[in-house]
């Protein structure tokens, strides 16, 4: 299969997938509710400005509240709709499916966020490379957790007045991240922890100067309410597009396992919390600096590498693989189903297991339904 044939087939497969997604997307847009298992999430959205040729921007905005009565969380949802106006794009404000303290980073939230993104692409012609996430208070808690574990979905993220919990910041290598906090916001040590986590990002950036782009905004005289000082996040985020195919990927599995992260993936049945990989590419040379996954998949296409030339895999200074790969229909089909993203379609795959490279198709990621 040539690159032209692979690209043509990828477009055909995405158009088929889009047709499959459209009835569910239209139902959500008409009813204003997304359902997943026993949960349902209401959404409110507004469209701003004129759609650019490449598609609209998407801003997902998470409300505060948390472990509070339903009426309080409903009020916070209503309030979130008024906080941020943009020049162009779609702003979606979802209502959390539960009223728990961790309402924005429970296991099911990732599924809802994925659905919001793909349905927005289908219904509003959103550009998948211009998706942003932000959140206030408990919504900020959610951004601290969701942005690292779903970093490959977003172009930038902004956290307002939230608590980091045990957020894994290493996954933010390719996702610009901003922190907004009041100096007097001492409840749950938010102010001190925001400073601590900014220092973590400072340290990560110093050791990897091409990654970990971040900003920190501390307002010394502000308590939990930032009095709209955080609205500058919109213009900052809008200046970025997604690093869809970064030259280096740092992936650490959080307590909510993911089957994909940029151009890496892993079968959920073999993945574990704490699995970590650091993989980089330069031309057709892919270097594995660290890998503790039992099975790690490297997904490739002609944007990432030149598939008309041999691919080299190096680990610990040793060449594990050096061979020309074939583009294939099955990998394209699988990646369309797994990623459901028109910009992340791959035409061939290598599987790393026990420090060996496997080209067989027997390794298939189990998709989280």
């Amino acid at each position: 299969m040539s690159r032209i044939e692979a690209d043509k087939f990828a477009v055909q497969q995405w158009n088929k997938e889009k047709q499959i997604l459209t009835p569910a997307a239209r139902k959500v847009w008409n009813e204003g509710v997304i359902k997943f298992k026993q949960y349902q999430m209401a959404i409110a959205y507004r469209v701003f400005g004129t759609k650019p040729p490449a598609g609209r921007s998407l801003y997902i905005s998470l409300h505060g509240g948390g472990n509070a009565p339903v009426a309080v969380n409903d009020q916070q949802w209503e309030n979130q709709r008024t906080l941020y106006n943009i020049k162009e794009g779609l702003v979606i404000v979802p209502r959390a499916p539960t009223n728990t303290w961790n309402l924005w980073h429970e296991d099911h939230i990732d599924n809802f966020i994925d659905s919001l993104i793909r349905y927005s692409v289908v219904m509003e012609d959103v550009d998948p490379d211009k998706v942003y996430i932000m959140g206030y208070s408990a919504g900020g808690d959610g951004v601290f957790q969701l942005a690292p574990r779903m970093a490959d979905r977003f172009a930038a993220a902004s956290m307002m007045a939230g608590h980091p919990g045990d957020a894994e910041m290493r996954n933010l290598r390719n996702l610009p991240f901003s922190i907004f906090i009041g100096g007097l916001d001492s409840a749950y040590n938010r102010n001190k922890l925001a400073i601590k986590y900014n220092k973590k990002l400072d340290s990560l950036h110093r050791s990897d100067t091409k990654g970990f782009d971040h900003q920190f905004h501390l307002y010394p005289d502000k308590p939990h309410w930032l009095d709209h000082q955080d609205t500058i996040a919109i213009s900052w985020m809008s200046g970025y597009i997604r690093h869809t195919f970064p030259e280096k990927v740092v992936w650490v599995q959080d307590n909510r396992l993911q089957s994909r992260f940029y151009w890496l993936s892993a079968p959920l049945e073999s993945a574990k919390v704490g699995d970590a990989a650091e993989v980089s590419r330069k031309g057709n040379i892919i270097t594995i600096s660290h890998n503790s996954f039992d099975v790690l998949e490297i997904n490739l296409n002609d944007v990432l590498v030149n598939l008309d030339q041999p691919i080299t895999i190096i680990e610990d200074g040793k060449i594990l693989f050096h061979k020309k790969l074939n583009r294939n229909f099955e990998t394209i089909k699988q990646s369309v189903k797994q990623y459901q993203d028109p910009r992340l379609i791959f035409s061939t795959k290598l599987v790393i297991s026990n420090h060996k490279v496997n080209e067989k198709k027997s390794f298939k990621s189990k998709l989280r339904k």
Side-chain angles (χ1 to χ4, degrees):
M1 185 191 295
S2 69
R3 177 175 183 173
I4 292 174
E5 290 171 328
D7 289 345
K8 182 178 179 180
F9 186 69
V11 170
Q12 291 173 347
Q13 289 303 300
W14 167 247
N15 286 336
K16 286 183 179 180
E17 188 67 18
K18 189 175 178 180
Q19 289 179 349
I20 293 170
L21 291 170
T22 296
R26 185 176 294 118
K27 180 177 174 65
V28 167
W29 247 240
N30 289 340
E31 298 178 357
V33 175
I34 300 180
K35 296 178 181 179
F36 173 71
K37 293 184 176 179
Q38 71 269 36
Y39 304 101
Q40 63 178 32
M41 184 174 76
I43 61 170
Y45 65 91
R46 293 176 65 190
V47 177
F48 296 82
T50 303
K51 185 181 73 173
R56 299 189 189 278
S57 304
L58 168 62
Y59 296 83
I60 300 172
S61 185
L62 309 179
H63 66 76
N67 190 22
V70 173
V72 172
N73 289 321
D74 285 343
Q75 187 277 328
Q76 289 294 308
W77 179 40
E78 294 285 346
N79 182 63
Q80 191 74 15
R81 304 185 205 184
T82 67
L83 292 185
Y84 308 101
N85 291 319
I86 63 174
K87 292 181 179 180
E88 177 278 316
L90 173 69
V91 177
I92 296 183
V93 182
R95 201 302 190 178
T98 66
N99 298 290
T100 56
W101 69 271
N102 57 341
L103 77 181
W104 282 123
H105 50 97
E106 293 184 273
D107 186 89
H108 53 266
I109 294 298
D110 302 57
N111 297 84
F112 280 116
I113 297 299
D114 271 335
S115 294
L116 279 181
I117 294 170
R118 60 177 174 259
Y119 291 166
S120 298
V121 170
V122 170
M123 295 301 297
E124 302 290 344
D125 196 19
V126 158
D127 180 349
D129 287 336
K130 298 192 73 177
V131 178
Y132 311 93
I133 189 167
M134 56 188 175
Y136 203 101
S137 190
D141 299 359
V143 172
F144 258 132
Q145 298 287 334
L146 292 170
R149 71 196 196 199
M150 303 182 72
D152 62 334
R153 280 77 155 180
F154 308 117
S158 290
M159 192 294 307
M160 292 85 165
H163 189 287
D166 60 353
E168 176 52 74
M169 307 307 273
R170 286 175 289 176
N171 285 350
L172 295 176
R173 199 266 174 189
N174 299 299
L175 178 65
F177 192 87
S178 62
I179 296 173
F180 293 81
I181 198 73
L184 304 179
D185 191 0
S186 58
Y188 310 105
N189 288 319
R190 290 192 193 98
N191 48 4
K192 293 179 180 178
L193 287 169
I195 293 171
K196 177 181 177 181
Y197 270 71
N198 180 62
K199 288 180 178 178
K200 284 187 178 183
L201 288 171
D202 286 342
S203 177
L204 288 166
H205 177 68
R206 283 194 298 269
S207 63
D208 186 356
T209 56
K210 292 184 178 180
F212 300 101
D213 185 358
H214 66 286
Q215 282 194 349
F216 183 63
H217 300 270
L218 175 67
Y219 302 98
D221 61 337
K222 296 297 181 184
H224 192 50
W225 174 239
L226 296 175
D227 198 22
H228 299 290
Q229 297 292 312
D230 54 305
T231 56
I232 61 173
I234 300 297
S235 59
W236 178 77
M237 288 192 294
S238 67
Y240 291 94
I241 60 173
R242 177 174 58 166
H243 292 294
T244 314
F245 300 110
E247 292 185 351
K248 180 179 178 180
V249 176
V250 178
W251 184 16
V252 183
Q253 283 283 19
D254 203 341
N255 51 15
R256 203 290 191 179
L257 301 176
Q258 299 285 336
S259 67
R260 41 68 70 103
F261 198 71
Y262 296 101
W263 42 277
L264 302 180
S265 57
L268 287 175
E269 58 267 27
S270 65
K272 306 179 300 297
V273 175
D275 280 346
E278 184 175 314
V279 186
S280 57
R281 63 181 176 87
K282 187 173 184 180
N284 274 27
I285 299 174
I286 296 170
T287 302
I288 303 172
S289 302
H290 175 77
N291 177 30
S292 62
F293 283 80
D294 290 339
V295 179
L296 181 69
E297 301 165 337
I298 298 177
N299 303 283
L300 301 173
N301 59 24
D302 287 282
V303 178
L304 278 158
V305 294
N306 181 358
L307 289 175
D308 291 323
Q309 300 295 325
I311 304 298
T312 303
I313 307 291
I314 299 175
E315 183 180 36
D316 296 329
K318 178 184 177 182
I319 296 178
L320 300 184
F321 183 87
H322 179 75
K323 186 177 178 182
K324 185 175 177 295
L325 297 171
N326 293 321
R327 306 171 186 90
N328 66 82
F329 294 108
E330 190 59 33
T331 299
I332 293 172
K333 289 180 180 179
Q334 288 179 4
S335 68
V336 168
K337 287 292 183 184
Q338 181 175 12
Y339 285 81
Q340 293 186 313
D341 185 326
R343 304 284 161 73
L344 283 165
I345 300 176
F346 302 97
S347 54
T348 191
K349 175 186 294 189
L350 290 172
V351 181
I352 313 297
S353 180
N354 295 321
H355 307 287
K356 295 181 180 179
V357 180
N358 194 316
E359 293 180 75
K360 294 180 180 179
K361 300 175 185 177
S362 56
F363 293 94
K364 294 183 180 180
S365 292
K366 183 185 292 182
L367 305 186
R368 187 183 293 267
K369 298 297 183 182

